[in-house]
Amino acid sequence: QSIQPSEIAKFGMMLYMCAFMSRKHAVMRDFKRGMLPMLLIVGVICGLIMLQPNMSMAVIVGLMGYALLFVGGADVKQLLLLGVVLIALFFLLAWIEPYRLARLTTFTDPWNDGMDGLGSGYQLIQSYYALGSGGLFGLGLNNSRQKLLYMTYGESDFIFSILGEELGFVGITVVMLLFGLLFWRCYRIIMRQTELRDRLTAFGLTVILAMGAVMNLAVVMGVAPPKGVPMPLMSYGGSNLMATMLCVGLLMNFSRTATGKEGSIWKESS
């Protein structure tokens, strides 16, 4: 299986940004010396990903960078202005490519290009069928019908739909609660770090995991446009699985070495 460079790039970007913001924390509110160097790094990585082309991953990497800038001490007013610019850029990039615009409109009505459900909304429609047919307790493990050549990427991007069909509403609720427990534990790890660099890095690792889980859930439930976002710790292997295991391993190490009491992520700047 081929390696996805974007998985390595977003991990490296996170480590670099955390190291930079911990060293230059005193000047992060200064646009030229603080935010601009970070924006250049994020912009170059997102630009290269767009050349693949892979707009969905570029959006995810951009959101990761935005979250890191927020906790890294960047000026809130500058971040709000940046958010407006990024939203406008997002819709511009979607508008200039018909297939991107189709994705934005398809998820609101996946049957809009044909009532047979075989158009651009096919994946989302099959996801609805899988989640709906699961009922309260599901069809049972390995009894999914949608994974029998109906649901594409049922082993990776849409594995949560298959899970909902086999385990039902109760099963996916348990899985979501387990993810909530994981991220609560990540929060405890973040707040117990005594060094700002470690705290930011632990936050960045958590963002990688949380963003993957949230975006995957949003896609399979039709809340967000279809994107190729695997579910952390569940989707079939590859570059994303290696990146996920690396994040979990580093977070476990941060948990083992944490010595401080829980406090604010901005504690070091005061």
Side-chain angles (χ1 to χ4, degrees):
Q1 184 169 333
S2 60
I3 296 176
Q4 296 293 328
S6 56
E7 294 291 342
I8 302 172
K10 71 179 182 182
F11 191 81
M13 181 195 77
M14 182 274 296
L15 293 178
Y16 178 80
M17 289 184 67
C18 292
F20 179 92
M21 291 187 295
S22 61
R23 289 197 318 269
K24 305 287 187 179
H25 194 75
V27 299
M28 280 306 298
R29 290 184 178 274
D30 184 288
F31 179 79
K32 186 176 181 180
R33 294 187 295 167
M35 185 184 291
L36 184 58
M38 296 292 91
L39 291 179
L40 291 175
I41 294 296
V42 177
V44 168
I45 293 175
C46 289
L48 292 174
I49 295 174
M50 284 293 297
L51 292 177
Q52 291 187 359
N54 191 344
M55 185 176 176
S56 59
M57 181 56 71
V59 170
I60 291 174
V61 171
L63 290 174
M64 284 177 49
Y66 193 90
L68 287 169
L69 284 172
F70 177 73
V71 300
D75 185 76
V76 176
K77 293 181 180 179
Q78 294 176 4
L79 284 173
L80 290 175
L81 180 60
L82 175 63
V84 173
V85 174
L86 292 177
I87 292 173
L89 180 61
F90 170 80
F91 284 105
L92 175 62
L93 291 174
W95 181 74
I96 61 179
E97 286 288 349
Y99 77 92
R100 294 174 188 160
L101 187 60
R103 282 192 173 188
L104 287 177
T105 57
T106 295
F107 89 100
T108 59
D109 182 10
W111 285 274
N112 65 354
D113 60 349
M115 294 304 294
D116 57 2
L118 298 177
S120 57
Y122 176 81
Q123 283 182 305
L124 185 54
I125 292 172
Q126 297 304 316
S127 179
Y128 287 158
Y129 287 160
L131 292 171
S133 61
L136 189 60
F137 297 104
L139 303 178
L141 284 175
N142 205 34
N143 290 329
S144 168
R145 294 186 290 263
Q146 292 304 113
K147 67 182 180 183
L148 302 177
L149 302 181
Y150 293 102
M151 172 67 70
T152 55
Y153 302 108
E155 77 288 351
S156 55
D157 297 348
F158 283 85
I159 192 171
F160 202 81
S161 301
I162 304 301
L163 184 74
E165 185 182 12
E166 295 186 349
L167 300 183
F169 176 78
V170 173
I172 62 175
T173 299
V174 171
V175 172
M176 292 173 69
L177 289 174
L178 290 174
F179 270 110
L181 179 63
L182 171 64
F183 297 134
W184 173 78
R185 181 57 184 164
C186 290
Y187 170 80
R188 295 285 303 275
I189 293 171
I190 293 168
M191 295 308 171
R192 292 183 61 211
Q193 302 306 309
T194 56
E195 298 294 330
L196 180 59
R197 179 174 179 175
D198 293 343
R199 196 172 297 170
L200 289 173
T201 304
F203 175 81
L205 294 168
T206 303
V207 166
I208 292 176
L209 296 175
M211 190 162 292
V214 171
M215 294 301 294
N216 183 276
L217 280 173
V219 168
V220 300
M221 294 182 178
V223 181
K227 299 178 178 67
V229 183
M231 174 63 77
L233 303 174
M234 290 180 59
S235 293
Y236 176 73
S239 302
N240 179 266
L241 181 60
M242 290 189 292
T244 299
M245 292 293 99
L246 187 57
C247 289
V248 172
L250 289 173
L251 282 167
M252 289 179 66
N253 184 65
F254 278 126
S255 177
R256 182 177 61 86
T257 58
T259 57
K261 296 180 179 180
E262 290 185 25
S264 169
I265 198 168
W266 294 283
K267 180 179 178 182
E268 297 291 334
S269 63
S270 59

